[in-house]
Amino acid sequence: MKTIKQLLRLYEGGEIFTAIDTETTGLMNKTDRIIEIGAVKFSKDGVIDKFSTLINPQMPIPFASTKVNGITDQMVANEPIFADICDDFLDFIQGSILLAHNANFDIGFINAELSRINKGELKKPNVPAVDTLKNSRKIYTEFTKFNLQFLASEFNISVENAHRALDDARVCMELFQHNLAQLKD
């Protein structure tokens, strides 16, 4: 795992990062499924590209999940399954440093989906991904909460559509940039 100082050097050197987020049917990657993936590819020069898709999980979405992210069975009924978007997603993240807020959750779900379709797992150097949750805990020791929406509020990062993958990925990117700026100061 790279230190935040190493990440700052990589960022300032023009390295490409991709912030990712998933929305899921539940919390257990062995039994639950991804219903949305969002990703924002960026460098110090700005956003390079975005990736966003709903995914048909081939199982009913529990009400508790819909209550959090607003994604319903009807919304995903005619969407592709994970196997159909997998190669596009892997191509999108190729060659970039992954980051996520609570990275073990998102990477765990992606790896579980890849295993289901016999695509292996995300390999190093992408895993473990940079975790903005862990980095934030190290930097902001005065805080007692570290969820993405709380941190966004603390640092005036706009949240347009909380608990939707693309917006959460964008917020994660901006939090990462804020953390690097704090370190620089």
Side-chain angles (χ1 to χ4, degrees), residues 32-108:
D32 290 308
R33 305 299 290 268
I34 294 175
I35 55 177
E36 185 177 41
I37 292 181
V40 179
K41 187 181 293 186
F42 66 99
S43 71
K44 68 176 183 174
D45 298 321
V47 172
I48 297 166
D49 202 359
K50 297 175 183 176
F51 180 94
S52 179
T53 186
L54 287 169
I55 298 169
N56 184 330
Q58 300 178 292
M59 66 181 286
I61 299 173
F63 177 72
S65 177
T66 297
K67 198 171 158 183
V68 171
N69 56 41
I71 300 171
T72 65
D73 289 324
Q74 295 76 19
M75 291 169 67
V76 299
N78 296 314
E79 296 298 330
I81 62 174
F82 184 83
D84 293 338
I85 64 94
C86 176
D87 289 338
D88 290 339
F89 176 70
L90 294 176
D91 288 346
F92 185 84
I93 65 173
Q94 181 66 35
S96 63
I97 297 171
L98 295 180
L99 62 121
H101 198 75
N102 194 10
N104 288 340
F105 180 86
D106 296 294
I107 297 299

Side-chain angles (χ1 to χ4, degrees), residues 82-173:
F82 184 83
D84 293 338
I85 64 94
C86 176
D87 289 338
D88 290 339
F89 176 70
L90 294 176
D91 288 346
F92 185 84
I93 65 173
Q94 181 66 35
S96 63
I97 297 171
L98 295 180
L99 62 121
H101 198 75
N102 194 10
N104 288 340
F105 180 86
D106 296 294
I107 297 299
F109 264 92
I110 291 167
N111 282 339
E113 294 284 7
L114 289 170
S115 283
R116 284 185 192 103
I117 60 172
N118 297 316
K119 287 273 190 177
E121 293 185 337
L122 296 176
K123 300 288 185 213
K124 290 185 178 183
N126 285 332
V127 173
V130 175
D131 192 337
T132 55
L133 173 64
K134 288 180 183 174
N135 286 342
S136 296
R137 283 184 172 142
K138 289 177 186 171
I139 297 169
Y140 310 108
T141 56
E142 71 276 17
F143 292 163
T144 57
K145 290 173 60 175
F146 294 93
N147 67 59
L148 193 58
Q149 281 64 44
F150 171 80
L151 293 171
S153 174
E154 284 295 309
F155 305 129
N156 296 314
I157 298 170
S158 73
V159 175
E160 296 164 16
N161 206 353
H163 300 294
R164 289 301 301 267
L166 184 59
D167 196 51
D168 283 355
R170 178 197 51 82
V171 172
C172 179
M173 171 194 75

